[in-house]
Amino acid sequence: MALLEVNNLKKYFKEVKAVDGISFKVERGEVFGLLGPNGAGKSTTISMISTLFKPNEGDIKYKNVSIIDNPSAIQQKLGVVPQEIALYPTLSGYENLKFWGHAYGLRGKELSNRIEEVSEIIGIKDRLKDKIEKYSGGMKRRINIGAALLHNPEILIMDEPTVGIDPQSRNHILDTVLELNKKGMTIIYTSHYMEEVEYLCTRVSIMDKGNIIASGTQEELLEIVKGKKKINLRFDKISDNLIDRINSIDYIENVDVHDDEIILTTQNGEDIFKDLIAKSSETENSILSIDIKKPNLEAVFLHLTGRALRD
Amino acid sequence: MRVIDIIIKDLRVLLRDKKTIGIMIIMPIILITILGSALGNVFGGQDNTDKIQIAIVKEYNEVEEAEMFVESLKNNTVFQGIDQENIKDISENLKDFSMEEIIFNEFLKNEEIKEIIEYRVTNLDSAKDLLSNDEISAIVIFPENFAFDMYTNFATPFRNEVSIQILEHPEGYIDNQIVEGIFKGFTDKVSTMVIGKNVFIETMMENGFQLEALNKMDMIMESMSDILDSSSIALKEVNVNKNEPLSGFQYYTIAITSMFILFVAGEGAKLLLEEKDNLTYQRMAIAGTQKSKIVIGKFCTILVFALLQIGIMIAYSAVVLGVEWGNPSLVVLITLCAGFTMSGLGTVLAAVSYRIGNYKMADVFQGFIFIFAIFGGSFMPVDVLPSFIKPLSNFVPNGLTLKLYQKVMLGSGMNDILIYLIVLLAMAVGFTLIAVFILNGEERWKYVKYNNAKTSKIKS
């Protein structure tokens, strides 16, 4: 029996189909990833799992009990790290943790011990007395996570927990996630950063426009683009003429343009350099670099949607 | 989560906001001190050591009018039906009876009146000059024929209407009330006695003792004169009329306190929406905290903050300014009722702000506070406002609160304030019900602000 089971979940905001009939299962002890660009429906999905929204259709079962009709079945077992900092900026880190501990019914010695343990885990023990508004972005993210860990939840949902922070804090958060998982915590991790999902998740569902377009282990997903190459081209500038000429190469499967970068997938690795240089020389654009990458989840997304994840 | 946890957290947040503390606590303290000191003299209370200066203008001539009165009696031109014997007695009695003696030497020079009023007798033009130069607060004009009419009223079975005119300084709000009150008290007393005298005579006549009644006129005049000598009666009337003066500090302490508790309601208006914007509301909901607990928490937070604010005002004014608040239990009761009303009002505003999703409602209300303050008497006493505004003070919570504190300061008991307390509590209940109605129903907020999500490149 899966720990969490999502069946044909739909959520509409007026005319917008934020989530349009998705299904997946989360097994006990795994790090399950929801990967997709901004607006794919990841946050709406976790909002429904968190009992914040009721779906228009479908069901969510926690240990085989529907949480749509019985939200309390999951609320105290769930820790949710929201995408944005949901804390009181004028209160100290300690006061925030204490308040959120109270929210999960912790008090007295038990709460003090948990604050001690959690502040150790998130690496913020020395700054607990400072007000949140004086924290750096990365520290705010960490305490935002800490507030969700106090009651030692069975499932931890992390919604884009590393958005907008420095690499050092990001690495600390990613390591924390793995540590928690090692201790047996089941984690649902949403991100539009492919590298994070690849680093953390055992199984992944890729979402786009309210739908799950692929699911499985990383190996299973990479099978979709087996034998293909992902090539990142950087130019001094990109003109419509250049894009048209690259699109005219018949064995190139997807072309996605990003600022000064073109990302494409192809199965033909032998003629690609020669043809790309030839095509670009027909234009006023100059190639600055060519980067061939082993297929990854981004390539899977590009292959399935024709767009890069960061779109 | 317990409601108390929400209240403690909210109070911590509020008390750490320097702007909130500045507006809620520091500003009213400064205003009470400044206004109480600067405008204290327009009140007739204990701090007002200056006597009220008035000018008295006599447009009558007592000697001439006394002679005219006796002449009229003798000629029977005005007072028909009084025989010569009685006329003779009345004329004799008049020699011992002087209106001026009663008014100036016995009434206005009475010890209690002297503590409040200092008068000078002058002509009308000089008096008007004094008034326009702010040297006096009012002119009291005794009209032509005043002595004649008063003799008629006192010495005969007849009754002539006498009116004393008072010209007031346009800015002497409280002084004017005091002067009006004193002279109204005096004239009321005189009227009562004249009516009593007439009733006595009419009763005697109806029972066939007309002669005896007229023969007793000298005794009646004497006893009326004796009663008028006692100005304490007049002062008692005055107290009822002018509601016992408050000191400037007393008035502005309750006026500013009543006004500034409205700011607590205005601040409370932001509490729910701030939680929503910070996503902490959603986080509490995810943790299983019911909406009702969150709303009750906000209600109680506003209540506690209002009580704290009023408590600080009471403590400051009592200890530093020496303001006497009156019966402590009634003050506590009024404070609780005012706190509940502000909580209800704040929760309504919070509910509306929450539903419409912006802070406009709170901002609009902050603007309305000054209108409420005017209607409620926080800037100047309601008594001096135009008559069409006066009743509105009973419909604004700060006006009712001010009135209640004022009454208790003046020594009123529970019976006198009960109706106002009931109205104030009814407001609290009404506001709370409106808030519940507005907040009832399913949530419509969105959890994540997608468009606001920041992104950055990952550097592996």
Side-chain angles (χ1 to χ4, degrees):
Chain A
M1 181 183 68
L3 186 63
L4 192 80
E5 198 174 335
V6 172
N7 291 315
N8 192 30
L9 206 61
K10 293 181 182 176
K11 182 68 185 175
Y12 305 147
F13 295 109
K14 293 183 181 170
E15 301 303 312
V16 180
K17 293 179 178 178
V19 174
D20 194 19
I22 63 167
S23 300
F24 61 85
K25 289 179 182 176
V26 179
E27 301 295 338
R28 184 183 295 275
E30 73 170 332
V31 182
F32 179 82
L34 273 176
L35 178 68
N38 287 332
K42 308 184 298 293
S43 293
T44 306
T45 303
I46 66 152
S47 294
M48 288 188 280
I49 297 171
S50 309
T51 70
L52 204 53
F53 293 164
K54 282 198 172 182
N56 295 95
E57 276 183 47
D59 198 8
I60 304 167
K61 286 181 178 170
Y62 167 70
K63 291 183 178 174
N64 221 23
V65 174
S66 171
I67 62 166
I68 308 299
D69 302 325
N70 186 16
S72 59
I74 197 171
Q75 279 168 338
Q76 293 286 312
K77 304 288 179 187
L78 199 62
V80 179
V81 182
Q83 183 173 340
E84 300 199 16
I85 308 298
L87 299 168
Y88 299 99
T90 54
L91 299 188
S92 69
Y94 184 85
E95 288 165 336
N96 267 283
L97 291 179
K98 193 173 170 186
F99 177 74
W100 293 113
H102 286 151
Y104 287 98
L106 300 173
R107 324 213 153 263
K109 190 78 184 159
E110 186 189 11
L111 177 58
S112 304
N113 291 341
R114 280 303 293 161
I115 291 174
E116 180 99 5
E117 287 165 24
V118 165
S119 57
E120 197 87 57
I121 292 169
I122 58 177
I124 213 150
K125 206 172 174 182
D126 298 338
R127 296 288 306 276
L128 272 183
K129 287 182 180 173
D130 294 342
K131 288 181 184 173
I132 296 290
E133 62 192 3
K134 293 189 174 163
Y135 284 11
S136 67
M139 288 173 71
K140 284 178 187 169
R141 286 271 165 203
R142 289 194 220 174
I143 204 119
N144 205 31
I145 293 169
L149 294 176
L150 288 160
H151 58 302
N152 204 12
E154 197 169 359
I155 303 176
L156 180 66
I157 296 180
M158 305 182 86
D159 187 12
E160 307 259 14
T162 60
V163 167
I165 59 169
D166 59 282
Q168 193 185 351
S169 290
R170 187 184 70 116
N171 290 339
H172 188 279
I173 288 171
L174 297 181
D175 290 343
T176 303
V177 174
L178 287 180
E179 276 300 311
L180 291 167
N181 180 243
K182 269 184 197 166
K183 289 176 184 169
M185 196 176 284
T186 304
I187 293 164
I188 300 174
Y189 193 95
T190 82
S191 180
H192 66 282
Y193 295 140
M194 174 272 304
E195 296 93 333
E196 289 184 2
V197 174
E198 280 184 340
Y199 182 66
L200 295 172
C201 301
T202 39
R203 286 193 314 117
V204 179
S205 283
I206 300 177
M207 286 192 77
D208 187 44
K209 296 178 180 172
N211 294 295
I212 290 179
I213 55 173
S215 277
T217 61
Q218 290 196 41
E219 292 73 25
E220 286 167 348
L221 290 171
L222 290 174
E223 277 293 312
I224 297 170
V225 289
K226 192 177 179 184
K228 298 183 193 317
K229 289 185 173 59
K230 180 183 166 224
I231 300 172
N232 289 20
L233 297 162
R234 282 189 64 237
F235 291 87
D236 58 345
K237 59 179 178 179
I238 296 173
S239 64
D240 291 343
N241 184 24
L242 175 68
I243 295 166
D244 290 343
R245 286 179 189 280
I246 291 175
N247 268 322
S248 69
I249 303 172
D250 56 3
Y251 55 85
I252 287 180
E253 293 175 0
N254 298 105
V255 177
D256 192 61
V257 182
H258 256 283
D259 301 329
D260 61 347
E261 194 176 40
I262 293 177
I263 303 165
L264 50 88
T265 52
T266 177
Q267 282 205 318
N268 186 341
E270 291 171 14
D271 299 329
I272 187 72
F273 289 115
K274 187 179 70 180
D275 289 342
L276 282 172
I277 290 166
K279 291 293 180 187
S280 64
S281 65
E282 292 168 12
T283 69
E284 66 279 18
N285 308 115
S286 308
I287 297 176
L288 298 178
S289 68
I290 300 176
D291 189 8
I292 302 174
K293 290 192 171 172
K294 205 171 86 177
N296 56 17
L297 292 179
E298 182 149 19
V300 175
F301 187 83
L302 184 64
H303 175 76
L304 294 172
T305 66
R307 289 176 288 115
L309 260 175
R310 69 194 76 167
D311 282 349
Chain B
M1 186 185 296
R2 300 177 307 183
V3 171
I4 187 74
D5 297 323
I6 298 173
I7 298 170
I8 291 170
K9 179 267 298 172
D10 281 340
L11 284 174
R12 276 195 176 126
V13 171
L14 279 175
L15 293 172
R16 283 188 194 165
D17 184 349
K18 287 175 187 164
K19 190 179 157 198
T20 301
I21 296 299
I23 292 173
M24 306 290 165
I25 310 290
I26 309 294
M27 202 186 286
I29 284 177
I30 292 171
L31 279 175
I32 288 167
T33 311
I34 292 173
L35 290 174
S37 308
L39 301 175
N41 285 343
V42 300
F43 294 81
Q46 61 207 37
D47 292 325
N48 187 3
T49 51
D50 293 338
K51 291 177 184 174
I52 300 168
Q53 300 292 327
I54 64 166
I56 290 185
V57 176
K58 296 193 289 183
E59 292 188 333
Y60 65 90
N61 184 318
E62 189 179 25
V63 178
E64 283 179 13
E65 288 179 23
E67 286 170 4
M68 190 171 79
F69 174 73
V70 173
E71 205 59 34
S72 302
L73 282 174
K74 285 176 182 168
N75 297 339
N76 250 348
T77 50
V78 182
F79 310 107
Q80 291 177 1
I82 303 177
D83 61 30
Q84 286 306 311
E85 192 64 26
N86 284 325
I87 289 170
K88 194 180 167 191
D89 288 344
I90 291 170
S91 302
E92 281 299 311
N93 285 329
L94 266 183
K95 289 174 188 169
D96 302 325
F97 182 81
S98 165
M99 273 314 300
E100 289 206 352
E101 178 73 14
I102 292 170
I103 293 170
F104 292 98
N105 293 339
E106 290 168 4
F107 172 61
L108 285 173
K109 284 186 179 169
N110 173 284
E111 285 304 314
E112 291 175 61
I113 300 284
K114 267 165 64 183
E115 279 181 20
I116 303 171
I117 283 182
E118 200 167 76
Y119 73 91
R120 66 191 82 175
V121 179
T122 183
N123 62 48
L124 187 59
D125 290 337
S126 305
K128 282 181 176 173
D129 287 343
L130 291 169
L131 193 66
S132 58
N133 292 334
D134 299 338
E135 290 178 46
I136 56 172
S137 297
I139 303 170
V140 181
I141 304 170
F142 290 91
E144 199 177 345
N145 291 332
F146 173 75
F148 180 89
D149 291 334
M150 289 300 281
Y151 287 135
T152 305
N153 290 337
F154 274 73
T156 73
F158 303 99
R159 187 178 169 208
N160 284 358
E161 188 178 314
V162 179
S163 42
I164 299 171
Q165 193 185 357
I166 299 176
L167 300 179
E168 296 166 338
H169 193 289
E171 292 172 9
Y173 313 118
I174 304 300
D175 288 359
N176 294 342
Q177 288 183 56
I178 295 169
V179 173
E180 276 177 36
I182 286 174
F183 280 92
K184 189 170 184 304
F186 178 75
T187 53
D188 285 351
K189 199 76 237 167
V190 170
S191 300
T192 307
M193 285 185 293
V194 170
I195 291 166
K197 173 212 68 180
N198 287 352
V199 169
F200 168 76
I201 291 170
E202 281 164 18
T203 310
M204 294 285 276
M205 285 175 164
E206 278 171 15
N207 292 287
F209 300 109
Q210 183 177 359
L211 203 59
E212 285 82 351
L214 291 170
N215 285 339
K216 297 287 180 192
M217 278 309 299
D218 58 333
M219 283 174 61
I220 295 170
M221 277 178 70
E222 200 175 327
S223 65
M224 285 166 72
S225 171
D226 290 345
I227 292 169
L228 274 178
D229 287 352
S230 167
S231 62
S232 63
I233 297 167
L235 271 179
K236 197 173 166 191
E237 300 270 346
V238 167
N239 287 340
V240 173
N241 266 327
K242 71 181 181 60
N243 281 339
E244 189 101 3
L246 296 179
S247 73
F249 282 127
Q250 272 183 309
Y251 185 80
Y252 278 107
T253 297
I254 54 175
I256 297 298
T257 301
S258 306
M259 173 183 162
F260 271 78
I261 49 174
L262 289 172
F263 281 100
V264 178
E267 198 60 32
K270 299 173 188 169
L271 287 176
L272 266 181
L273 190 56
E274 275 173 354
E275 293 268 19
K276 187 180 173 187
D277 281 354
N278 287 341
L279 299 175
T280 44
Y281 186 105
Q282 292 87 325
R283 197 165 198 167
M284 278 191 268
I286 287 170
T289 311
Q290 297 103 317
K291 186 166 71 178
S292 58
K293 277 190 178 177
I294 299 174
V295 175
I296 292 169
K298 301 302 170 200
F299 181 94
C300 294
T301 299
I302 302 169
L303 173 65
V304 173
F305 199 73
L307 298 182
L308 194 67
Q309 188 199 38
I310 299 173
I312 290 171
M313 294 306 123
I314 291 174
Y316 172 78
S317 59
V319 174
V320 180
L321 307 176
V323 169
E324 288 175 13
W325 281 75
N327 186 325
S329 358
L330 292 181
V331 170
V332 169
L333 191 62
I334 295 166
T335 303
L336 282 171
C337 290
F340 274 116
T341 309
M342 291 308 142
S343 301
L345 178 60
T347 312
V348 168
L349 296 170
V352 175
S353 302
Y354 181 83
R355 280 295 184 211
I356 61 177
N358 62 50
Y359 295 96
K360 279 181 191 163
M361 190 68 199
D363 294 339
V364 167
F365 179 73
Q366 304 275 24
F368 269 101
I369 286 177
F370 291 98
I371 296 171
F372 284 2
I374 292 169
F375 290 168
S378 291
F379 293 139
M380 60 184 77
V382 173
D383 290 343
V384 302
L385 295 175
S387 54
F388 71 94
I389 291 182
K390 286 178 190 173
L392 295 176
S393 68
N394 291 326
F395 296 97
V396 288
N398 57 310
L400 272 175
T401 306
L402 195 158
K403 191 169 282 180
L404 282 161
Y405 281 132
Q406 196 171 9
K407 280 183 173 291
V408 171
M409 276 183 173
L410 293 172
S412 296
M414 186 64 189
N415 288 340
D416 299 322
I417 65 169
L418 187 61
I419 183 69
Y420 296 106
L421 277 178
I422 291 171
V423 175
L424 200 58
L425 275 178
M427 280 186 184
V429 173
F431 286 138
T432 309
L433 290 176
I434 293 170
V436 169
F437 176 77
I438 293 170
L439 287 170
N440 207 14
E442 204 179 335
E443 293 298 345
R444 284 178 292 192
W445 32 258
K446 265 185 95 176
Y447 174 36
V448 176
K449 296 179 274 187
Y450 295 105
N451 296 333
N452 292 346
K454 294 173 189 168
T455 55
S456 66
K457 274 191 176 180
I458 295 202
K459 292 167 187 163
S460 328

